PDB file of all heavy atoms in Angstrom:
ATOM      1  N   PRO A   1      -7.744  -5.244   7.025  1.00  0.00           N
ATOM      2  CA  PRO A   1      -8.590  -4.112   6.565  1.00  0.00           C
ATOM      3  C   PRO A   1      -9.772  -3.840   7.410  1.00  0.00           C
ATOM      4  O   PRO A   1     -10.276  -2.780   7.483  1.00  0.00           O
ATOM      5  CB  PRO A   1      -8.939  -4.425   4.989  1.00  0.00           C
ATOM      6  CG  PRO A   1      -8.753  -5.932   4.987  1.00  0.00           C
ATOM      7  CD  PRO A   1      -7.714  -6.293   5.996  1.00  0.00           C
ATOM      8  N   ASP A   2     -10.382  -4.974   7.847  1.00  0.00           N
ATOM      9  CA  ASP A   2     -11.674  -4.859   8.544  1.00  0.00           C
ATOM     10  C   ASP A   2     -11.409  -4.242   9.896  1.00  0.00           C
ATOM     11  O   ASP A   2     -12.163  -3.351  10.285  1.00  0.00           O
ATOM     12  CB  ASP A   2     -12.353  -6.266   8.682  1.00  0.00           C
ATOM     13  CG  ASP A   2     -11.471  -7.359   9.019  1.00  0.00           C
ATOM     14  OD1 ASP A   2     -10.266  -7.149   9.036  1.00  0.00           O
ATOM     15  OD2 ASP A   2     -11.886  -8.418   9.318  1.00  0.00           O
ATOM     16  N   ILE A   3     -10.339  -4.710  10.533  1.00  0.00           N
ATOM     17  CA  ILE A   3      -9.988  -4.179  11.866  1.00  0.00           C
ATOM     18  C   ILE A   3      -9.574  -2.675  11.772  1.00  0.00           C
ATOM     19  O   ILE A   3     -10.065  -1.750  12.514  1.00  0.00           O
ATOM     20  CB  ILE A   3      -8.768  -4.871  12.487  1.00  0.00           C
ATOM     21  CG1 ILE A   3      -9.256  -6.295  12.901  1.00  0.00           C
ATOM     22  CG2 ILE A   3      -8.343  -4.194  13.824  1.00  0.00           C
ATOM     23  CD1 ILE A   3      -8.161  -7.353  13.315  1.00  0.00           C
ATOM     24  N   TRP A   4      -8.734  -2.326  10.751  1.00  0.00           N
ATOM     25  CA  TRP A   4      -8.303  -0.915  10.572  1.00  0.00           C
ATOM     26  C   TRP A   4      -9.588  -0.048  10.171  1.00  0.00           C
ATOM     27  O   TRP A   4      -9.683   1.089  10.684  1.00  0.00           O
ATOM     28  CB  TRP A   4      -7.282  -0.874   9.403  1.00  0.00           C
ATOM     29  CG  TRP A   4      -6.835   0.488   9.090  1.00  0.00           C
ATOM     30  CD1 TRP A   4      -7.117   1.338   7.982  1.00  0.00           C
ATOM     31  CD2 TRP A   4      -5.995   1.367   9.886  1.00  0.00           C
ATOM     32  NE1 TRP A   4      -6.573   2.446   8.065  1.00  0.00           N
ATOM     33  CE2 TRP A   4      -5.849   2.570   9.233  1.00  0.00           C
ATOM     34  CE3 TRP A   4      -5.347   1.168  11.180  1.00  0.00           C
ATOM     35  CZ2 TRP A   4      -5.172   3.625   9.814  1.00  0.00           C
ATOM     36  CZ3 TRP A   4      -4.607   2.249  11.663  1.00  0.00           C
ATOM     37  CH2 TRP A   4      -4.502   3.444  10.995  1.00  0.00           C
ATOM     38  N   GLY A   5     -10.365  -0.550   9.290  1.00  0.00           N
ATOM     39  CA  GLY A   5     -11.604   0.183   8.808  1.00  0.00           C
ATOM     40  C   GLY A   5     -12.517   0.549  10.109  1.00  0.00           C
ATOM     41  O   GLY A   5     -13.033   1.636  10.178  1.00  0.00           O
ATOM     42  N   ASP A   6     -12.664  -0.376  10.903  1.00  0.00           N
ATOM     43  CA  ASP A   6     -13.488  -0.185  12.124  1.00  0.00           C
ATOM     44  C   ASP A   6     -12.726   0.868  13.027  1.00  0.00           C
ATOM     45  O   ASP A   6     -13.388   1.749  13.678  1.00  0.00           O
ATOM     46  CB  ASP A   6     -13.814  -1.537  12.883  1.00  0.00           C
ATOM     47  CG  ASP A   6     -14.698  -2.355  12.186  1.00  0.00           C
ATOM     48  OD1 ASP A   6     -15.397  -1.848  11.259  1.00  0.00           O
ATOM     49  OD2 ASP A   6     -14.724  -3.537  12.466  1.00  0.00           O
ATOM     50  N   LEU A   7     -11.547   0.754  13.214  1.00  0.00           N
ATOM     51  CA  LEU A   7     -10.704   1.609  14.108  1.00  0.00           C
ATOM     52  C   LEU A   7     -10.664   3.064  13.625  1.00  0.00           C
ATOM     53  O   LEU A   7     -10.817   4.027  14.468  1.00  0.00           O
ATOM     54  CB  LEU A   7      -9.243   1.148  14.170  1.00  0.00           C
ATOM     55  CG  LEU A   7      -8.276   1.917  15.093  1.00  0.00           C
ATOM     56  CD1 LEU A   7      -8.711   1.654  16.551  1.00  0.00           C
ATOM     57  CD2 LEU A   7      -6.890   1.498  14.778  1.00  0.00           C
ATOM     58  N   VAL A   8     -10.709   3.314  12.291  1.00  0.00           N
ATOM     59  CA  VAL A   8     -10.716   4.748  11.834  1.00  0.00           C
ATOM     60  C   VAL A   8     -12.043   5.101  11.275  1.00  0.00           C
ATOM     61  O   VAL A   8     -12.050   6.176  10.694  1.00  0.00           O
ATOM     62  CB  VAL A   8      -9.603   4.840  10.657  1.00  0.00           C
ATOM     63  CG1 VAL A   8      -8.320   4.483  11.089  1.00  0.00           C
ATOM     64  CG2 VAL A   8      -9.940   3.966   9.454  1.00  0.00           C
ATOM     65  N   ASN A   9     -13.030   4.374  11.593  1.00  0.00           N
ATOM     66  CA  ASN A   9     -14.444   4.774  11.282  1.00  0.00           C
ATOM     67  C   ASN A   9     -14.639   4.813   9.663  1.00  0.00           C
ATOM     68  O   ASN A   9     -15.379   5.541   9.114  1.00  0.00           O
ATOM     69  CB  ASN A   9     -14.849   6.129  11.844  1.00  0.00           C
ATOM     70  CG  ASN A   9     -16.298   6.281  11.827  1.00  0.00           C
ATOM     71  OD1 ASN A   9     -17.035   5.299  11.938  1.00  0.00           O
ATOM     72  ND2 ASN A   9     -16.829   7.523  11.804  1.00  0.00           N
ATOM     73  N   TRP A  10     -13.944   3.947   9.047  1.00  0.00           N
ATOM     74  CA  TRP A  10     -14.093   3.868   7.606  1.00  0.00           C
ATOM     75  C   TRP A  10     -14.204   2.336   7.178  1.00  0.00           C
ATOM     76  O   TRP A  10     -13.306   1.713   6.703  1.00  0.00           O
ATOM     77  CB  TRP A  10     -13.025   4.484   6.746  1.00  0.00           C
ATOM     78  CG  TRP A  10     -13.243   4.940   5.390  1.00  0.00           C
ATOM     79  CD1 TRP A  10     -14.358   4.741   4.647  1.00  0.00           C
ATOM     80  CD2 TRP A  10     -12.460   5.708   4.482  1.00  0.00           C
ATOM     81  NE1 TRP A  10     -14.286   5.285   3.464  1.00  0.00           N
ATOM     82  CE2 TRP A  10     -13.088   5.946   3.343  1.00  0.00           C
ATOM     83  CE3 TRP A  10     -11.122   6.346   4.706  1.00  0.00           C
ATOM     84  CZ2 TRP A  10     -12.602   6.754   2.282  1.00  0.00           C
ATOM     85  CZ3 TRP A  10     -10.676   6.967   3.719  1.00  0.00           C
ATOM     86  CH2 TRP A  10     -11.301   7.250   2.487  1.00  0.00           C
ATOM     87  N   PRO A  11     -15.280   1.677   7.636  1.00  0.00           N
ATOM     88  CA  PRO A  11     -15.556   0.250   7.498  1.00  0.00           C
ATOM     89  C   PRO A  11     -15.255  -0.236   6.075  1.00  0.00           C
ATOM     90  O   PRO A  11     -15.503   0.396   5.145  1.00  0.00           O
ATOM     91  CB  PRO A  11     -16.906   0.069   7.929  1.00  0.00           C
ATOM     92  CG  PRO A  11     -17.390   1.205   8.537  1.00  0.00           C
ATOM     93  CD  PRO A  11     -16.632   2.307   8.051  1.00  0.00           C
ATOM     94  N   ALA A  12     -14.773  -1.454   6.115  1.00  0.00           N
ATOM     95  CA  ALA A  12     -14.387  -2.205   4.845  1.00  0.00           C
ATOM     96  C   ALA A  12     -15.473  -3.218   4.565  1.00  0.00           C
ATOM     97  O   ALA A  12     -15.486  -4.328   5.061  1.00  0.00           O
ATOM     98  CB  ALA A  12     -13.133  -2.882   4.867  1.00  0.00           C
ATOM     99  N   PRO A  13     -16.717  -2.939   3.916  1.00  0.00           N
ATOM    100  CA  PRO A  13     -17.763  -3.822   3.811  1.00  0.00           C
ATOM    101  C   PRO A  13     -17.370  -5.064   2.918  1.00  0.00           C
ATOM    102  O   PRO A  13     -17.790  -6.099   3.238  1.00  0.00           O
ATOM    103  CB  PRO A  13     -18.892  -3.008   2.958  1.00  0.00           C
ATOM    104  CG  PRO A  13     -18.173  -1.847   2.371  1.00  0.00           C
ATOM    105  CD  PRO A  13     -16.921  -1.628   3.269  1.00  0.00           C
ATOM    106  N   GLU A  14     -16.369  -4.916   2.124  1.00  0.00           N
ATOM    107  CA  GLU A  14     -15.773  -6.027   1.328  1.00  0.00           C
ATOM    108  C   GLU A  14     -14.313  -5.816   1.472  1.00  0.00           C
ATOM    109  O   GLU A  14     -13.805  -4.720   1.127  1.00  0.00           O
ATOM    110  CB  GLU A  14     -16.137  -6.044  -0.085  1.00  0.00           C
ATOM    111  CG  GLU A  14     -17.747  -6.382  -0.258  1.00  0.00           C
ATOM    112  CD  GLU A  14     -18.029  -6.627  -1.695  1.00  0.00           C
ATOM    113  OE1 GLU A  14     -17.254  -7.056  -2.509  1.00  0.00           O
ATOM    114  OE2 GLU A  14     -19.220  -6.209  -2.038  1.00  0.00           O
ATOM    115  N   THR A  15     -13.603  -6.851   1.882  1.00  0.00           N
ATOM    116  CA  THR A  15     -12.182  -6.618   2.186  1.00  0.00           C
ATOM    117  C   THR A  15     -11.243  -6.875   0.902  1.00  0.00           C
ATOM    118  O   THR A  15     -10.216  -6.353   0.875  1.00  0.00           O
ATOM    119  CB  THR A  15     -11.723  -7.688   3.196  1.00  0.00           C
ATOM    120  OG1 THR A  15     -11.892  -8.990   2.806  1.00  0.00           O
ATOM    121  CG2 THR A  15     -12.320  -7.385   4.577  1.00  0.00           C
ATOM    122  N   ALA A  16     -11.751  -7.490  -0.153  1.00  0.00           N
ATOM    123  CA  ALA A  16     -10.842  -7.732  -1.285  1.00  0.00           C
ATOM    124  C   ALA A  16     -10.410  -6.383  -1.913  1.00  0.00           C
ATOM    125  O   ALA A  16      -9.211  -6.360  -2.241  1.00  0.00           O
ATOM    126  CB  ALA A  16     -11.719  -8.591  -2.307  1.00  0.00           C
ATOM    127  N   PRO A  17     -11.118  -5.427  -2.109  1.00  0.00           N
ATOM    128  CA  PRO A  17     -10.687  -4.084  -2.692  1.00  0.00           C
ATOM    129  C   PRO A  17      -9.521  -3.524  -1.741  1.00  0.00           C
ATOM    130  O   PRO A  17      -8.538  -2.950  -2.316  1.00  0.00           O
ATOM    131  CB  PRO A  17     -11.829  -3.263  -2.833  1.00  0.00           C
ATOM    132  CG  PRO A  17     -12.996  -4.087  -2.927  1.00  0.00           C
ATOM    133  CD  PRO A  17     -12.678  -5.247  -2.054  1.00  0.00           C
ATOM    134  N   TYR A  18      -9.763  -3.600  -0.496  1.00  0.00           N
ATOM    135  CA  TYR A  18      -8.774  -3.058   0.402  1.00  0.00           C
ATOM    136  C   TYR A  18      -7.489  -3.748   0.413  1.00  0.00           C
ATOM    137  O   TYR A  18      -6.472  -3.263   0.528  1.00  0.00           O
ATOM    138  CB  TYR A  18      -9.395  -2.995   1.811  1.00  0.00           C
ATOM    139  CG  TYR A  18     -10.411  -1.997   2.058  1.00  0.00           C
ATOM    140  CD1 TYR A  18     -11.720  -2.209   1.643  1.00  0.00           C
ATOM    141  CD2 TYR A  18     -10.081  -0.693   2.659  1.00  0.00           C
ATOM    142  CE1 TYR A  18     -12.801  -1.260   1.721  1.00  0.00           C
ATOM    143  CE2 TYR A  18     -11.143   0.215   2.739  1.00  0.00           C
ATOM    144  CZ  TYR A  18     -12.453  -0.015   2.362  1.00  0.00           C
ATOM    145  OH  TYR A  18     -13.414   0.953   2.459  1.00  0.00           O
ATOM    146  N   ARG A  19      -7.673  -5.097   0.352  1.00  0.00           N
ATOM    147  CA  ARG A  19      -6.473  -5.994   0.166  1.00  0.00           C
ATOM    148  C   ARG A  19      -5.639  -5.685  -1.107  1.00  0.00           C
ATOM    149  O   ARG A  19      -4.489  -5.798  -1.182  1.00  0.00           O
ATOM    150  CB  ARG A  19      -6.776  -7.427   0.289  1.00  0.00           C
ATOM    151  CG  ARG A  19      -7.276  -7.815   1.734  1.00  0.00           C
ATOM    152  CD  ARG A  19      -7.758  -9.413   1.710  1.00  0.00           C
ATOM    153  NE  ARG A  19      -8.566  -9.643   2.896  1.00  0.00           N
ATOM    154  CZ  ARG A  19      -8.119  -9.779   4.101  1.00  0.00           C
ATOM    155  NH1 ARG A  19      -6.757  -9.564   4.471  1.00  0.00           N
ATOM    156  NH2 ARG A  19      -8.832 -10.008   5.165  1.00  0.00           N
ATOM    157  N   LEU A  20      -6.432  -5.438  -2.157  1.00  0.00           N
ATOM    158  CA  LEU A  20      -5.818  -5.056  -3.429  1.00  0.00           C
ATOM    159  C   LEU A  20      -5.062  -3.769  -3.316  1.00  0.00           C
ATOM    160  O   LEU A  20      -3.875  -3.603  -3.792  1.00  0.00           O
ATOM    161  CB  LEU A  20      -6.862  -5.062  -4.525  1.00  0.00           C
ATOM    162  CG  LEU A  20      -6.352  -4.768  -5.977  1.00  0.00           C
ATOM    163  CD1 LEU A  20      -5.435  -5.859  -6.450  1.00  0.00           C
ATOM    164  CD2 LEU A  20      -7.550  -4.525  -6.978  1.00  0.00           C
ATOM    165  N   ILE A  21      -5.580  -2.779  -2.665  1.00  0.00           N
ATOM    166  CA  ILE A  21      -4.907  -1.599  -2.302  1.00  0.00           C
ATOM    167  C   ILE A  21      -3.722  -1.777  -1.512  1.00  0.00           C
ATOM    168  O   ILE A  21      -2.667  -1.245  -1.808  1.00  0.00           O
ATOM    169  CB  ILE A  21      -5.877  -0.427  -1.747  1.00  0.00           C
ATOM    170  CG1 ILE A  21      -6.921  -0.113  -2.662  1.00  0.00           C
ATOM    171  CG2 ILE A  21      -5.068   0.629  -1.150  1.00  0.00           C
ATOM    172  CD1 ILE A  21      -8.136   0.648  -2.026  1.00  0.00           C
ATOM    173  N   GLY A  22      -3.753  -2.620  -0.440  1.00  0.00           N
ATOM    174  CA  GLY A  22      -2.616  -3.008   0.221  1.00  0.00           C
ATOM    175  C   GLY A  22      -1.545  -3.652  -0.561  1.00  0.00           C
ATOM    176  O   GLY A  22      -0.391  -3.318  -0.494  1.00  0.00           O
ATOM    177  N   ALA A  23      -1.860  -4.544  -1.519  1.00  0.00           N
ATOM    178  CA  ALA A  23      -0.839  -5.154  -2.400  1.00  0.00           C
ATOM    179  C   ALA A  23      -0.268  -4.188  -3.238  1.00  0.00           C
ATOM    180  O   ALA A  23       1.005  -4.110  -3.396  1.00  0.00           O
ATOM    181  CB  ALA A  23      -1.535  -6.249  -3.212  1.00  0.00           C
ATOM    182  N   ALA A  24      -1.004  -3.142  -3.786  1.00  0.00           N
ATOM    183  CA  ALA A  24      -0.423  -2.114  -4.596  1.00  0.00           C
ATOM    184  C   ALA A  24       0.497  -1.275  -3.800  1.00  0.00           C
ATOM    185  O   ALA A  24       1.529  -0.896  -4.258  1.00  0.00           O
ATOM    186  CB  ALA A  24      -1.591  -1.128  -5.226  1.00  0.00           C
ATOM    187  N   MET A  25       0.147  -0.981  -2.604  1.00  0.00           N
ATOM    188  CA  MET A  25       1.019  -0.079  -1.662  1.00  0.00           C
ATOM    189  C   MET A  25       2.327  -0.792  -1.450  1.00  0.00           C
ATOM    190  O   MET A  25       3.230  -0.214  -1.491  1.00  0.00           O
ATOM    191  CB  MET A  25       0.283   0.193  -0.368  1.00  0.00           C
ATOM    192  CG  MET A  25      -0.729   1.267  -0.522  1.00  0.00           C
ATOM    193  SD  MET A  25      -1.410   1.565   1.130  1.00  0.00           S
ATOM    194  CE  MET A  25      -2.650   2.768   0.876  1.00  0.00           C
ATOM    195  N   LEU A  26       2.201  -2.099  -1.217  1.00  0.00           N
ATOM    196  CA  LEU A  26       3.570  -2.854  -1.023  1.00  0.00           C
ATOM    197  C   LEU A  26       4.380  -2.873  -2.351  1.00  0.00           C
ATOM    198  O   LEU A  26       5.626  -2.768  -2.263  1.00  0.00           O
ATOM    199  CB  LEU A  26       3.148  -4.255  -0.633  1.00  0.00           C
ATOM    200  CG  LEU A  26       2.626  -4.405   0.884  1.00  0.00           C
ATOM    201  CD1 LEU A  26       2.127  -5.831   1.055  1.00  0.00           C
ATOM    202  CD2 LEU A  26       3.565  -3.952   1.925  1.00  0.00           C
ATOM    203  N   ALA A  27       3.678  -2.953  -3.407  1.00  0.00           N
ATOM    204  CA  ALA A  27       4.510  -2.901  -4.681  1.00  0.00           C
ATOM    205  C   ALA A  27       5.159  -1.528  -4.942  1.00  0.00           C
ATOM    206  O   ALA A  27       6.259  -1.576  -5.314  1.00  0.00           O
ATOM    207  CB  ALA A  27       3.565  -3.202  -5.786  1.00  0.00           C
ATOM    208  N   PHE A  28       4.443  -0.458  -4.707  1.00  0.00           N
ATOM    209  CA  PHE A  28       4.992   0.781  -4.704  1.00  0.00           C
ATOM    210  C   PHE A  28       6.149   1.119  -3.723  1.00  0.00           C
ATOM    211  O   PHE A  28       7.105   1.631  -4.028  1.00  0.00           O
ATOM    212  CB  PHE A  28       3.898   1.912  -4.452  1.00  0.00           C
ATOM    213  CG  PHE A  28       3.052   2.231  -5.645  1.00  0.00           C
ATOM    214  CD1 PHE A  28       1.688   2.066  -5.652  1.00  0.00           C
ATOM    215  CD2 PHE A  28       3.702   2.772  -6.959  1.00  0.00           C
ATOM    216  CE1 PHE A  28       0.906   2.190  -6.788  1.00  0.00           C
ATOM    217  CE2 PHE A  28       2.897   3.117  -8.032  1.00  0.00           C
ATOM    218  CZ  PHE A  28       1.477   2.733  -7.918  1.00  0.00           C
ATOM    219  N   GLY A  29       6.038   0.430  -2.566  1.00  0.00           N
ATOM    220  CA  GLY A  29       7.073   0.487  -1.463  1.00  0.00           C
ATOM    221  C   GLY A  29       8.340  -0.221  -2.072  1.00  0.00           C
ATOM    222  O   GLY A  29       9.437   0.175  -1.826  1.00  0.00           O
ATOM    223  N   ALA A  30       7.969  -1.452  -2.594  1.00  0.00           N
ATOM    224  CA  ALA A  30       9.142  -2.256  -3.069  1.00  0.00           C
ATOM    225  C   ALA A  30       9.899  -1.465  -4.235  1.00  0.00           C
ATOM    226  O   ALA A  30      11.124  -1.487  -4.381  1.00  0.00           O
ATOM    227  CB  ALA A  30       8.680  -3.505  -3.679  1.00  0.00           C
ATOM    228  N   SER A  31       9.112  -0.743  -5.088  1.00  0.00           N
ATOM    229  CA  SER A  31       9.728   0.016  -6.103  1.00  0.00           C
ATOM    230  C   SER A  31      10.548   1.110  -5.494  1.00  0.00           C
ATOM    231  O   SER A  31      11.635   1.463  -6.092  1.00  0.00           O
ATOM    232  CB  SER A  31       8.718   0.583  -7.147  1.00  0.00           C
ATOM    233  OG  SER A  31       7.965   1.696  -6.565  1.00  0.00           O
ATOM    234  N   SER A  32      10.174   1.688  -4.378  1.00  0.00           N
ATOM    235  CA  SER A  32      11.091   2.759  -3.792  1.00  0.00           C
ATOM    236  C   SER A  32      12.243   2.146  -3.231  1.00  0.00           C
ATOM    237  O   SER A  32      13.372   2.692  -3.271  1.00  0.00           O
ATOM    238  CB  SER A  32      10.229   3.417  -2.691  1.00  0.00           C
ATOM    239  OG  SER A  32       9.375   4.413  -3.205  1.00  0.00           O
ATOM    240  N   VAL A  33      12.211   0.836  -2.764  1.00  0.00           N
ATOM    241  CA  VAL A  33      13.479   0.298  -2.137  1.00  0.00           C
ATOM    242  C   VAL A  33      14.370   0.032  -3.402  1.00  0.00           C
ATOM    243  O   VAL A  33      15.651   0.212  -3.292  1.00  0.00           O
ATOM    244  CB  VAL A  33      13.063  -1.083  -1.420  1.00  0.00           C
ATOM    245  CG1 VAL A  33      14.319  -1.938  -1.201  1.00  0.00           C
ATOM    246  CG2 VAL A  33      12.242  -0.841  -0.164  1.00  0.00           C
ATOM    247  N   LEU A  34      13.795  -0.577  -4.432  1.00  0.00           N
ATOM    248  CA  LEU A  34      14.828  -0.843  -5.545  1.00  0.00           C
ATOM    249  C   LEU A  34      15.378   0.453  -6.124  1.00  0.00           C
ATOM    250  O   LEU A  34      16.469   0.547  -6.492  1.00  0.00           O
ATOM    251  CB  LEU A  34      13.927  -1.395  -6.654  1.00  0.00           C
ATOM    252  CG  LEU A  34      13.497  -2.864  -6.212  1.00  0.00           C
ATOM    253  CD1 LEU A  34      12.491  -3.495  -7.324  1.00  0.00           C
ATOM    254  CD2 LEU A  34      14.605  -3.823  -6.143  1.00  0.00           C
ATOM    255  N   ALA A  35      14.499   1.524  -6.169  1.00  0.00           N
ATOM    256  CA  ALA A  35      15.057   2.840  -6.663  1.00  0.00           C
ATOM    257  C   ALA A  35      16.100   3.346  -5.738  1.00  0.00           C
ATOM    258  O   ALA A  35      17.036   4.016  -6.165  1.00  0.00           O
ATOM    259  CB  ALA A  35      13.878   3.809  -6.885  1.00  0.00           C
ATOM    260  N   TYR A  36      15.863   3.175  -4.489  1.00  0.00           N
ATOM    261  CA  TYR A  36      16.956   3.757  -3.400  1.00  0.00           C
ATOM    262  C   TYR A  36      18.233   3.127  -3.753  1.00  0.00           C
ATOM    263  O   TYR A  36      19.300   3.684  -3.554  1.00  0.00           O
ATOM    264  CB  TYR A  36      16.386   3.373  -2.070  1.00  0.00           C
ATOM    265  CG  TYR A  36      17.470   3.555  -0.989  1.00  0.00           C
ATOM    266  CD1 TYR A  36      17.734   4.905  -0.484  1.00  0.00           C
ATOM    267  CD2 TYR A  36      18.268   2.655  -0.508  1.00  0.00           C
ATOM    268  CE1 TYR A  36      18.693   5.059   0.466  1.00  0.00           C
ATOM    269  CE2 TYR A  36      19.199   2.841   0.404  1.00  0.00           C
ATOM    270  CZ  TYR A  36      19.437   4.073   0.966  1.00  0.00           C
ATOM    271  OH  TYR A  36      20.430   4.391   1.774  1.00  0.00           O
ATOM    272  N   ARG A  37      18.278   1.859  -4.154  1.00  0.00           N
ATOM    273  CA  ARG A  37      19.551   1.134  -4.356  1.00  0.00           C
ATOM    274  C   ARG A  37      20.280   1.558  -5.583  1.00  0.00           C
ATOM    275  O   ARG A  37      21.480   1.319  -5.713  1.00  0.00           O
ATOM    276  CB  ARG A  37      19.251  -0.250  -4.422  1.00  0.00           C
ATOM    277  CG  ARG A  37      18.541  -0.857  -3.030  1.00  0.00           C
ATOM    278  CD  ARG A  37      18.314  -2.289  -3.146  1.00  0.00           C
ATOM    279  NE  ARG A  37      19.387  -3.110  -3.486  1.00  0.00           N
ATOM    280  CZ  ARG A  37      19.397  -4.317  -3.700  1.00  0.00           C
ATOM    281  NH1 ARG A  37      18.305  -5.031  -3.502  1.00  0.00           N
ATOM    282  NH2 ARG A  37      20.418  -5.124  -4.107  1.00  0.00           N
ATOM    283  N   GLU A  38      19.606   2.390  -6.453  1.00  0.00           N
ATOM    284  CA  GLU A  38      20.218   2.860  -7.653  1.00  0.00           C
ATOM    285  C   GLU A  38      20.818   4.234  -7.438  1.00  0.00           C
ATOM    286  O   GLU A  38      20.391   5.047  -6.513  1.00  0.00           O
ATOM    287  CB  GLU A  38      19.171   2.968  -8.814  1.00  0.00           C
ATOM    288  CG  GLU A  38      18.664   1.631  -9.193  1.00  0.00           C
ATOM    289  CD  GLU A  38      19.699   0.660  -9.948  1.00  0.00           C
ATOM    290  OE1 GLU A  38      20.608   1.288 -10.502  1.00  0.00           O
ATOM    291  OE2 GLU A  38      19.513  -0.435 -10.047  1.00  0.00           O
ATOM    292  N   VAL A  39      21.992   4.479  -8.226  1.00  0.00           N
ATOM    293  CA  VAL A  39      22.559   5.815  -8.113  1.00  0.00           C
ATOM    294  C   VAL A  39      22.395   6.601  -9.509  1.00  0.00           C
ATOM    295  O   VAL A  39      22.577   7.783  -9.533  1.00  0.00           O
ATOM    296  CB  VAL A  39      24.116   5.773  -7.846  1.00  0.00           C
ATOM    297  CG1 VAL A  39      24.245   5.209  -6.323  1.00  0.00           C
ATOM    298  CG2 VAL A  39      24.799   4.944  -8.852  1.00  0.00           C
ATOM    299  N   ASP A  40      22.103   5.853 -10.578  1.00  0.00           N
ATOM    300  CA  ASP A  40      21.876   6.520 -11.862  1.00  0.00           C
ATOM    301  C   ASP A  40      20.440   7.047 -12.126  1.00  0.00           C
ATOM    302  O   ASP A  40      19.481   6.165 -12.028  1.00  0.00           O
ATOM    303  CB  ASP A  40      22.183   5.413 -12.960  1.00  0.00           C
ATOM    304  CG  ASP A  40      22.151   5.873 -14.318  1.00  0.00           C
ATOM    305  OD1 ASP A  40      21.878   7.058 -14.522  1.00  0.00           O
ATOM    306  OD2 ASP A  40      22.361   5.101 -15.265  1.00  0.00           O
ATOM    307  N   TRP A  41      20.312   8.281 -12.324  1.00  0.00           N
ATOM    308  CA  TRP A  41      18.964   8.845 -12.582  1.00  0.00           C
ATOM    309  C   TRP A  41      18.186   8.174 -13.573  1.00  0.00           C
ATOM    310  O   TRP A  41      16.927   7.910 -13.327  1.00  0.00           O
ATOM    311  CB  TRP A  41      19.135  10.367 -12.817  1.00  0.00           C
ATOM    312  CG  TRP A  41      17.858  11.021 -13.316  1.00  0.00           C
ATOM    313  CD1 TRP A  41      17.588  11.486 -14.578  1.00  0.00           C
ATOM    314  CD2 TRP A  41      16.857  11.319 -12.477  1.00  0.00           C
ATOM    315  NE1 TRP A  41      16.308  11.933 -14.669  1.00  0.00           N
ATOM    316  CE2 TRP A  41      15.779  11.921 -13.322  1.00  0.00           C
ATOM    317  CE3 TRP A  41      16.430  11.096 -11.109  1.00  0.00           C
ATOM    318  CZ2 TRP A  41      14.587  12.277 -12.792  1.00  0.00           C
ATOM    319  CZ3 TRP A  41      15.281  11.552 -10.688  1.00  0.00           C
ATOM    320  CH2 TRP A  41      14.295  12.104 -11.590  1.00  0.00           C
ATOM    321  N   ASP A  42      18.783   7.758 -14.763  1.00  0.00           N
ATOM    322  CA  ASP A  42      18.058   7.148 -15.744  1.00  0.00           C
ATOM    323  C   ASP A  42      17.425   5.756 -15.329  1.00  0.00           C
ATOM    324  O   ASP A  42      16.491   5.404 -15.956  1.00  0.00           O
ATOM    325  CB  ASP A  42      18.974   7.000 -16.981  1.00  0.00           C
ATOM    326  CG  ASP A  42      19.440   8.235 -17.682  1.00  0.00           C
ATOM    327  OD1 ASP A  42      18.580   9.140 -17.536  1.00  0.00           O
ATOM    328  OD2 ASP A  42      20.445   8.213 -18.370  1.00  0.00           O
TER     329      ASP A  42
END
């Protein structure tokens, strides 16, 4: 998060909140993988 923040000009003064967002993004991505594997809308 610190390297990315510096690269995009949005510094991460504290990395823990950014890492938490990263973990949430990975969880949402995993839910998309699991959903992709299903065929039943319900």
